[in-house]
Amino acid sequence: MKTYANALPLALKGCLNLHSRIDTLIELAVDEDAPMGDLTSEAIFSPEHQSRANIIARQDMVICGLDIARKVFERIDPDMTVSLQAKDGDWIERGNNVIVLEGSTISLMTSERIALNFLKRLSGIATLSRTYADAARATGTGVRIVDTRKTTPGWRSIEKYAVRCGGCSNHRASLSEHVMIKENHITAAGSLTKAVKLAHDYAPHLAKVEVETENMDDVREALQAGAEVILLDNMSLEEITEAVKLINHRATVEVSGGITLEAIADYAATGVDVISVGALTHSAPAADFSMIIPRD
Amino acid sequence: MKTYANALPLALKGCLNLHSRIDTLIELAVDEDAPMGDLTSEAIFSPEHQSRANIIARQDMVICGLDIARKVFERIDPDMTVSLQAKDGDWIERGNNVIVLEGSTISLMTSERIALNFLKRLSGIATLSRTYADAARATGTGVRIVDTRKTTPGWRSIEKYAVRCGGCSNHRASLSEHVMIKENHITAAGSLTKAVKLAHDYAPHLAKVEVETENMDDVREALQAGAEVILLDNMSLEEITEAVKLINHRATVEVSGGITLEAIADYAATGVDVISVGALTHSAPAADFSMIIPRD
Amino acid sequence: MKTYANALPLALKGCLNLHSRIDTLIELAVDEDAPMGDLTSEAIFSPEHQSRANIIARQDMVICGLDIARKVFERIDPDMTVSLQAKDGDWIERGNNVIVLEGSTISLMTSERIALNFLKRLSGIATLSRTYADAARATGTGVRIVDTRKTTPGWRSIEKYAVRCGGCSNHRASLSEHVMIKENHITAAGSLTKAVKLAHDYAPHLAKVEVETENMDDVREALQAGAEVILLDNMSLEEITEAVKLINHRATVEVSGGITLEAIADYAATGVDVISVGALTHSAPAADFSMIIPRD
Amino acid sequence: MKTYANALPLALKGCLNLHSRIDTLIELAVDEDAPMGDLTSEAIFSPEHQSRANIIARQDMVICGLDIARKVFERIDPDMTVSLQAKDGDWIERGNNVIVLEGSTISLMTSERIALNFLKRLSGIATLSRTYADAARATGTGVRIVDTRKTTPGWRSIEKYAVRCGGCSNHRASLSEHVMIKENHITAAGSLTKAVKLAHDYAPHLAKVEVETENMDDVREALQAGAEVILLDNMSLEEITEAVKLINHRATVEVSGGITLEAIADYAATGVDVISVGALTHSAPAADFSMIIPRD
Amino acid sequence: MKTYANALPLALKGCLNLHSRIDTLIELAVDEDAPMGDLTSEAIFSPEHQSRANIIARQDMVICGLDIARKVFERIDPDMTVSLQAKDGDWIERGNNVIVLEGSTISLMTSERIALNFLKRLSGIATLSRTYADAARATGTGVRIVDTRKTTPGWRSIEKYAVRCGGCSNHRASLSEHVMIKENHITAAGSLTKAVKLAHDYAPHLAKVEVETENMDDVREALQAGAEVILLDNMSLEEITEAVKLINHRATVEVSGGITLEAIADYAATGVDVISVGALTHSAPAADFSMIIPRD
Amino acid sequence: MKTYANALPLALKGCLNLHSRIDTLIELAVDEDAPMGDLTSEAIFSPEHQSRANIIARQDMVICGLDIARKVFERIDPDMTVSLQAKDGDWIERGNNVIVLEGSTISLMTSERIALNFLKRLSGIATLSRTYADAARATGTGVRIVDTRKTTPGWRSIEKYAVRCGGCSNHRASLSEHVMIKENHITAAGSLTKAVKLAHDYAPHLAKVEVETENMDDVREALQAGAEVILLDNMSLEEITEAVKLINHRATVEVSGGITLEAIADYAATGVDVISVGALTHSAPAADFSMIIPRD
């Protein structure tokens, strides 16, 4: 079983444009924020009134969601000029422009909040992920930080993209791929070994089988049963160290359980391959942006 | 202009069932988490295998999203028995059951994460809102804490519901209702007074006109122009105090600008009517739940 | 409380392109009129066969829906050339061209009826609204004519836009914004005063509270309770005059109840601020158009 | 070629439940009228507050849309009790109850306008259709009144159902079925005869070919070319009489062109088989209903 | 009643672009094959990496679906260059290029299977249809081969288009158009004659009435009742010959019932007008394609 | 690396109800087959007319799609009684009833074709898969037959379910899960080894990496690079035998390339683990069913 020699790609991989459902999410957003247009702007401006505006980062951050923001502006008004000043995954310092816009003032004002709401959430996740990725890289162990399925319903695909933009990796995307045998499965099935056997028979030949374990007996049984990945859930650093020694590279080792940024180095030192962190997606604070129409 | 004598309803108001688009969000969630069912559970259990499970709060919280969770379970399997142990808006202590489930083990396992992801986010928002609502109530001023349009795209309607479950109030729901004249509008229009005039002529007779102000001159001009609500944005406590005196109940007064929980009492003491807090929706940490199939 | 000094904007405001759901409505229309294309035209013409066509107003009218018509043509065939000869809100005399088209004959014939059906309904509403707006303007009172929620399901947003194109104003767009306390609410709540109190506590600080009244006692109670808008429903001109005097600008005054075009002047003379007319949207006769491929 | 011995079925035929897209239309309607529920009712009533209400016809009418109304109530609240007091197609006299409702007051108030908007439009069409159907029946000729494709986009299927509820018949439902060769086709094709020939070759063997004619030469050419149905468009009664004699039952004869209710007898007397009337769907005035919560 | 002098158009008719729902089908396909993009390609290539690729026919075939394939590529990446080398309905020999592509390697790889899956199925149907159309033409009888409603749910419109691309004709598109009285209808109604009578009264004047018959008595009754089309279902060649003679051009004659390619000539020789073949759509084997990125 | 000791589960696994998008597919099917109901049945029967009907297998088959069929009937008419006589995956002999129905005759007739079209396609795939599964089992080698991504767009999830109902296994479900490095990837990347390296770094830790190889050099390189699965594409039996020996259980071995039912035994004898067969989904002939309303 390999460890991840280069777990943190320096350059972003992946193409947000290829994800499905982004248009659905944008449509929902337009529908909830501007079902009948922007009353205020329509009252004040004629459709011909033009403005220029800048979208500015109001904190240091890893930017994420620029292509979605562009799609929002184009959805509201295909005639708007949208000029991206950065690429998803870039490190942006406070005060920098990330998008320059030009077009109908009504369109600019109507799009602002929708676009910013996408940017805020995705950049918040990417920025938090970056702190974890940096902490992992600093350990020199090749340990990989991964997300979980604790994502915002409707947003999984793009939240996992934001995690990668921050330099972390993804766990499985859904219940329909790979096998992850958890405590509830084992309780209901009555036997860890039996559950692994059934999974190996049923799952596609490309799927690995991961088993959640709570103590050394579970670890031994999972290893014996042929689990390709063993998850050590909520174990102490001592138990983890013992389990890593016991497993001895015969399976990939993942740990989880409320692991904080500060604890990354200690967990990495145990020799585990993967640390999963739910907070990357479920509790990242929003990044701060504003749109400014400059006074001439 | 009135202040809010009873800004914090003791009992929750509103019916989540009546919101549109919840089914769309659930469908997106099922589609991303179980596009082809739950591989692991299908491998291990026959469709006839039955279990009981409990959903347990793992922290103190205001619970929110129980009806959505019920809809998730019914979407996955109409034959599951779903028994809610609480009502949205209830205060739940750590370790308590909030839902008891009984049905096909495969269905239970397939629904778990989708339902929990809704509960986590909405209860997180309701719980954070409750701390703000309590702080406001403690001031005895009748000040009202409201949310903003800084919500998760696709989730506005239910995030604003969660804010109410926590005892705070809602700001406007979309650009299409009410008038909110911001700095960018004034810059582009060239005149605050002109913008208010155009808005009064154009907007429905039920819509109030709110104007964002940055200094005392703005406040004076807004008042003169007939703004029904004046937003003091990023002003100091001294400036706010001065503005409240100047306005003297001729308009409702709202303040905003990164106002923290700790600062609520100070802002309330200035005599403002409304404090808007974006963090209620954009940066609430997720609440913690787990689903347990008990060992017999 | 203000009256509407300039209730009838001379130039149309608003941007139909910014409304959500128009694409959905077009897709439904294509799906019902051409689920498998146009059998007749496909039988007769090759895809390469080209024609020019004109869309002609067959009556005097306020034109409305040109941008939707353009979207219909582009949906059917992005290669069609669509040249609008007018702007929404323009007064068009019988016999004038409103759109000039050029492209594949099959595409022209397939789009014709779908585009015309949008134009017919929206221009019908705009034209009827214009007669009311003109009647109101002629009174010199600043009275405002507004629509109601009696719209065609699925069409609210664009029917309310057509009302504005005709020079009238909009009432609230949905149940989710503003407060409108009707007789049924009062009956079920048991008290007008209590209903207003609850609404003021619960509703967003930007929402006004309107109360429907049926007699002078109701009016007095509504005023006392602090209603910002009072609706006099189905009252006689005498009662309305009395109510306006009683209210004395302490609330905006709206009247409703089958008010015909001929009666606008009499109602305006009572001093009311707003007259709501359901017929603008629910019973406007369709405007008449035809598409002609000229013989060379 | 047959004439329609019994063109006006006494009992309604057809099952609205079987039409597709009704749920889509209801969802759009809920989304536009109650995107976040009913603010007023939520402010005033607790979710447990119950009421009874009646939906009452405020004019004589042919009722239509009762099943859609029921679906609206069930969509808003599956626990509401909905008791239909009539069947689509029934003649209802002013003041009669058509639906009795019982359930949560919030749900009743939230559903009211959406349900009534469906009933108003469909019953308006059915009622107008009934006047035409009665006029046709009175002639004793077996002439059939049919609708056109001049329907509200998104509503074709249910508007055509309303026409049948009023006792008239349907023309073709879409461009994709049957062949209808119009003036524009003939102009662009260069020859009526050639167009009919191509249509016979291409169209499914179940499709008839109808040709629009403007004068006696067209009629002769259409007959010669083998048209199964001949439409006499905007001809005088004299021309129609002549054309009917010329055709002599070798094709079905349809007339169209702004034919009013008063003119039905004269047109029927010419011996035509079918009279098409666009106004049935595009200009029917809404029928009048109200929902009343009775005071005890 | 006419027979089809030129039942097999030499050039394809119809415009796939005009069909509704194609975008829905493409969206479903993208959603199931690339919900989060192409993991493999994103791992290996940067978004800037460009390639050229050819889509090649790996068997002789009638090509069908090129416009859908183009839409797939444009959906995945609007910047891809897509150059069609043929038109739907063309006969393509094995080894020929049908599409040349150039663009981002990730986009090419992500689109490949989705586009090929559309081409495979539609070209399979067109190719099988062509063998039937050729067999029919070879008889010199003018007999027409038509499809049935035995299509893949969601695909009816485009499968019927593929049938036409192969030179066959379409039967009715749905239950909502034309009348087709089958054995089950007759059993449930109790009488063939009564069923035809009711259909003539109810159906639009453009709809023909077809009756399914199983023996000579049925044929006589259908003819007597005025059926415009008579279907001889699962009859022997002798019975068919007798029925054709009996009907004697007073109705169009269709035969059905597992009729193989080899039997076309025999059935055509009986003098029937139409042969319907379900296998054209329900059992056509997929056509074979591959996409190749050439080594330089 | 394991071989599949029990590759053919005796009892069906999986729950079709849990798949997303089935309702979408049913809605598309209803929309295309009955957009305005069933004209024929509505003409002949009153909505109250009741019938009983049986759905009968007209050939020996593995039945698949019964739950979807049930959903179709319930979508058309929730009051219909639907009694399944078998379970998906059961072997059904010709002439047996698989569903007994009772309800409104109009509803029965309207649902028939839609339900049968689902059953025909899915049972066709399950039946073909069963022949392959039986052939594999007969070899006694534990070889596993798997499907491919050559599925009908929109149908992947349910076609892969049908494959499992027939006793075969699934390959990966989409491009977004697992890594599959094909010839085009290697050509564009310039090196097999480099591609595998990049994939291992980027892909989730649960994903295996499969590499397509065309000759023994490729196999050696893939093994060296650490591929977990090696696909031998279009190799001869001799080459495969050599490759299996070379790989020697260090990777799972898959073969593909037009492998027919007759050749399964020969391929299995080489010692490969997995045989992939595209024809299971792309070219399975439809299974034959009919619905009969019995004469009393």
Side-chain angles (χ1 to χ4, degrees), chain B residues 38-145:
Chain B
D38 175 0
L39 176 59
T40 307
S41 301
E42 291 180 15
I44 299 175
F45 306 107
S46 80
E48 288 74 31
H49 190 281
Q50 301 279 310
S51 292
R52 257 176 19 92
N54 300 315
I55 295 188
I56 293 167
R58 310 221 331 188
Q59 63 172 78
D60 294 354
M61 67 173 71
V62 175
I63 185 81
C64 182
L66 289 168
D67 290 315
I68 294 190
R70 188 212 301 266
K71 277 171 176 279
V72 169
F73 295 119
E74 291 172 353
R75 162 63 184 78
I76 293 293
D77 183 352
D79 294 334
M80 220 184 293
T81 302
V82 182
S83 169
L84 304 186
Q85 308 295 302
K87 291 207 322 291
D88 278 3
D90 285 352
W91 180 258
I92 304 292
E93 300 203 344
R94 180 167 196 257
N96 280 0
N97 255 9
V98 293
I99 309 181
V100 175
L101 298 162
E102 191 150 8
S104 155
T105 307
I106 295 178
S107 302
L108 283 172
M109 300 303 293
T110 306
S111 329
E112 173 189 7
R113 177 53 44 211
I114 303 171
L116 293 191
N117 281 346
F118 279 104
L119 287 172
K120 284 172 80 71
R121 179 157 191 81
L122 294 176
S123 301
I125 291 172
T127 302
L128 181 62
S129 298
R130 177 66 173 268
T131 64
Y132 277 85
D134 285 346
R137 185 199 302 268
T139 67
T141 59
V143 73
R144 179 188 271 213
I145 310 290

Side-chain angles (χ1 to χ4, degrees), chain F residues 198-295:
Chain F
L198 288 164
H200 271 134
D201 285 351
Y202 184 71
H205 63 281
L206 274 172
K208 286 185 192 161
V209 172
E210 175 161 5
V211 179
E212 183 182 302
T213 61
E214 297 194 326
N215 52 51
M216 225 47 61
D217 284 348
D218 286 354
V219 172
R220 255 177 234 109
E221 188 175 350
L223 206 55
Q224 186 71 24
E228 282 105 342
V229 186
I230 295 177
L231 169 61
L232 313 175
D233 190 41
N234 280 313
M235 291 193 191
S236 68
L237 288 168
E238 292 69 32
E239 289 172 300
I240 293 170
T241 305
E242 184 187 344
V244 167
K245 188 176 302 177
L246 174 65
I247 294 168
N248 192 24
H249 300 292
R250 287 175 291 171
T252 302
V253 183
E254 175 183 344
V255 291
S256 69
I259 297 174
T260 60
L261 184 58
E262 293 69 31
I264 291 295
D266 289 343
Y267 281 91
T270 63
V272 298
D273 302 297
V274 177
I275 301 172
S276 54
V277 179
L280 296 185
T281 51
H282 71 56
S283 295
D288 200 5
F289 294 88
S290 58
M291 185 180 94
I292 307 280
I293 295 181
R295 299 178 204 229

Side-chain angles (χ1 to χ4, degrees), chain B residues 205, chain C residues 1-5 7 136 139-146 210 213 216 219 229-249 251-257 259 263-277:
Chain B
H205 63 282
Chain C
M1 286 293 153
K2 80 192 165 52
T3 52
Y4 298 96
T139 67
T141 60
V143 74
R144 180 187 270 212
I145 310 290
V146 304
E210 176 161 4
T213 61
M216 224 49 59
V219 172
V229 186
I230 295 178
L231 170 62
L232 313 176
D233 191 40
N234 280 314
M235 291 193 190
S236 67
L237 288 167
E238 292 69 31
E239 289 172 301
I240 293 169
T241 305
E242 183 187 346
V244 168
K245 188 176 300 178
L246 173 67
I247 295 169
N248 192 22
H249 300 292
T252 302
V253 183
E254 175 183 344
V255 291
S256 69
I259 297 175
I264 291 295
D266 290 343
Y267 281 91
T270 63
V272 298
D273 302 298
V274 176
I275 301 172
S276 55
V277 180

